Amino acid sequence: MKDYAKTVHDPIHGSVRLSGVYARIMDRHEMQRIRGIRQLGSAHLVFPGANHTRFEHCLGAYHLSGRMAEAISLGAEDSQAVRAAGLLHDICHAPFSHTLEGLMEDATGCDHMELARNLILGKIRTCREEDDDLFGGSDTIGEMLSDEGIDPEVVCGLISSPETTASEMNSLQSRIDGPSDHFRSKDYIHQIIHGPVDCDQMDYLLRDSHYTGVTAGHIDCERILATMRVHNDRICISRGGAPAAEGLMVARSLMFTSVYFHPAVRIINRMTVKAAEASGLDLKEMYLWDDSDLEHRLIGCGGVSSEIIRSVRGRRIYKKAFMLGPSETSEDTALFLTRYYERANRGKLEKDIADKAGIPEHMVCVEMPSPSVLMNKVQIGKTDVSILEPDGRVVNLTKTSPIAKSLQSRDPFGWSVVVACPPEHREAVRKAASRIIEG
């Protein structure tokens, strides 16, 4: 079985070869589920080519994690673990990707990364009940990894978000290194999956750009890999690769504006959330469903859920009735909006607008940026790339690049609030939203 291998022809990275445990994991039912989850949720209704899936993205992240491991000369055990993390990092994404993640967290008490840990270690169901006859009793993915000498706890630690504590990472890493090296955090390994320049980010920018046709996401992946170094426990880009790192930051910012935060995409996402909220479905095992599973369940609920999801499927999308740009948003209005950012509060604002407009609450969708964007706070995030100078000093890209620095404060949305509804109610909703939001 160790010789079992496959070559996958990928439009982004060319031939991607998987062998041994990676090829067998790729064929697992848990991985096959994410073939049915579109990478960009319902964005294909705005960008018709965006039908690529989380499965393709995970293969790309696996490929790039391996190339990054080679670029920084990781040892064999670390390289094996990081490639497994790249392959498995999105294995528990909810249907429609990030759209319903908040609802899944509420239902399960875990985000998709913590669910991935539980699934890999066999602490939760790995298939739907109706599929127990096919997959019930299978070895867990963690057991498969262990059989190949790969510590599943280390893989799960790499999948975890950057908030994972240093002590936890040290504990996980000591299982590979042994007691003599327990004091080394090796955080740079974690940065291959979650970092300013990581395999996840590089693949989704290249892949989403390709499939949406939005060329702003193109990055010089080869130059980034060629100039990648490890210094003082962090992944750095040597000075010669700084322009490529700048390009990645620009691409990321422009893709957020052009695709991820596109107003129509956000409206569709909000419609989908409202359909799920109105359904009354038990969402505790939503991590086992794909897009089609959820759609059929929502339609089967009837009522508001069915109406909304069938409207989305037929591209009867709510239209903008009211919208404010950053320059039109006073400080008082921005402060007002921050109170309604959380999903539960958003529903209250939608109900207030709907009541004033004289229409049902489910016909109003409100979308807005995070409070930090609304209040014009500096966004450091993934613009803080470490640059290794020829003399051995490490400086943040934002300290030496006006481009990177400007991205810290750039508003990737281009709007402060969007209120949408069915076209026939636009005027009534516009007046109601204006009165409530602007006062």
Side-chain angles (χ1 to χ4, degrees):
M1 290 294 288
K2 287 186 178 181
D3 294 328
Y4 180 60
K6 286 189 176 183
T7 297
V8 179
H9 300 291
D10 181 67
I12 307 303
H13 304 296
S15 296
V16 176
R17 185 168 176 78
L18 301 95
S19 61
V21 69
Y22 307 109
R24 296 197 299 277
I25 288 174
M26 182 184 70
D27 286 342
R28 290 275 303 203
H29 59 277
E30 299 97 328
M31 284 293 296
Q32 295 305 306
R33 178 190 76 92
I34 61 176
R35 283 185 186 270
I37 298 178
R38 287 189 177 93
Q39 171 79 1
L40 295 179
S42 297
H44 65 286
L45 296 171
V46 179
F47 303 95
N51 287 292
H52 55 303
T53 68
R54 287 278 154 184
F55 181 83
E56 299 157 56
H57 167 59
C58 283
L59 288 180
Y62 160 84
H63 173 73
L64 285 177
S65 66
R67 293 199 62 194
M68 290 176 71
E70 292 174 5
I72 62 174
S73 301
L74 273 188
E77 291 186 51
D78 291 343
S79 178
Q80 289 174 336
V82 83
R83 285 193 292 163
L87 184 62
L88 293 165
H89 77 285
D90 277 350
I91 198 168
C92 281
H93 246 299
F96 299 100
S97 290
H98 290 289
T99 304
L100 298 174
E101 187 158 10
L103 287 178
M104 188 171 72
E105 287 188 36
D106 289 348
T108 65
C110 302
D111 62 21
H112 76 271
M113 291 174 287
E114 186 61 25
L115 284 169
R117 173 190 288 274
N118 293 337
L119 181 135
I120 290 167
L121 299 179
K123 295 181 178 180
I124 54 177
R125 291 187 62 88
T126 68
C127 67
R128 299 173 304 178
E129 187 174 351
E130 57 263 38
D131 292 328
D132 274 343
D133 60 325
L134 296 175
F135 309 119
S138 302
D139 286 348
T140 66
I141 292 176
E143 289 169 334
M144 293 175 66
L145 292 169
S146 293
D147 288 344
E148 296 297 321
I150 302 171
D151 190 333
E153 286 282 4
V154 172
V155 173
C156 293
L158 293 172
I159 291 172
S160 297
S161 69
E163 285 71 30
T164 300
T165 65
S167 60
E168 180 181 355
M169 288 304 298
N170 284 337
S171 173
L172 295 174
Q173 193 56 50
S174 68
R175 303 184 189 196
I176 290 180
D177 294 331
S180 63
D181 288 330
H182 73 276
F183 59 91
R184 294 165 55 204
S185 75
K186 283 193 173 181
D187 188 53
Y188 59 86
I189 303 175
H190 195 241
Q191 291 169 25
I192 292 176
I193 307 298
H194 298 285
V197 183
D198 59 37
C199 65
D200 179 31
Q201 179 181 190
M202 286 198 290
D203 183 79
Y204 78 63
L205 287 175
L206 288 168
R207 196 169 300 277
D208 296 348
S209 174
H210 175 83
Y211 283 104
T212 60
V214 177
T215 57
H218 182 73
I219 61 175
D220 190 349
C221 187
E222 295 303 317
R223 184 62 175 165
I224 290 171
L225 289 169
T227 56
M228 191 169 286
R229 306 286 186 268
V230 173
H231 186 79
N232 289 343
D233 199 35
R234 74 176 86 170
I235 289 181
C236 304
I237 302 297
S238 66
R239 170 51 59 189
E246 287 178 321
L248 185 147
M249 300 303 111
V250 171
R252 182 175 184 271
S253 183
L254 293 179
M255 282 295 287
F256 270 82
T257 299
S258 303
V259 178
Y260 312 131
F261 294 160
H262 189 291
V265 172
R266 298 283 292 206
I267 289 167
I268 297 168
N269 290 349
R270 182 61 187 161
M271 289 177 69
T272 305
V273 169
K274 290 174 78 71
E277 287 177 331
S279 70
L281 288 171
D282 183 350
L283 302 177
K284 286 187 176 63
E285 293 189 349
M286 185 164 62
Y287 70 94
L288 297 174
W289 305 346
D290 62 17
D291 294 355
S292 179
D293 290 328
L294 181 61
E295 281 189 346
H296 285 125
R297 282 171 166 80
L298 292 176
I299 290 170
C301 289
V304 167
S305 297
S306 175
E307 177 185 331
I308 293 176
I309 211 68
R310 286 185 295 114
S311 294
V312 169
R313 288 178 65 174
R315 210 183 182 284
R316 292 184 57 185
I317 301 166
Y318 294 174
K319 303 299 182 183
K320 287 181 287 187
F322 176 81
M323 181 173 180
L324 287 178
S327 63
E328 305 166 310
T329 307
S330 68
E331 187 174 338
D332 287 344
T333 298
L335 185 60
F336 172 83
L337 291 171
T338 62
R339 301 169 190 160
Y340 295 98
Y341 178 71
E342 297 299 329
R343 196 176 65 254
N345 294 337
R346 188 90 52 92
K348 182 180 185 306
L349 179 58
E350 289 168 339
K351 185 178 187 309
D352 289 346
I353 293 172
D355 288 348
K356 188 171 282 292
I359 62 174
E361 181 271 331
H362 73 270
M363 291 187 177
V364 174
C365 286
V366 175
E367 268 299 313
M368 67 185 76
S370 66
S372 60
V373 172
L374 284 167
M375 300 308 293
N376 295 314
K377 293 183 179 178
V378 170
Q379 304 294 297
I380 296 177
K382 291 191 175 182
T383 62
D384 213 5
V385 178
S386 297
I387 301 297
L388 181 61
E389 299 286 8
D391 61 5
R393 290 181 304 114
V394 174
V395 298
N396 293 332
L397 185 61
T398 53
K399 301 297 184 183
T400 60
S401 166
I403 294 173
K405 184 174 178 59
S406 69
L407 291 175
Q408 289 185 314
S409 56
R410 179 181 184 269
D411 173 12
F413 280 79
W415 43 273
S416 299
V417 63
V418 175
V419 182
C421 65
E424 61 270 25
H425 299 299
R426 288 170 83 172
E427 185 57 24
V429 169
R430 182 192 66 78
K431 291 179 180 178
S434 178
R435 289 174 189 148
I436 291 173
I437 294 172
E438 295 185 294

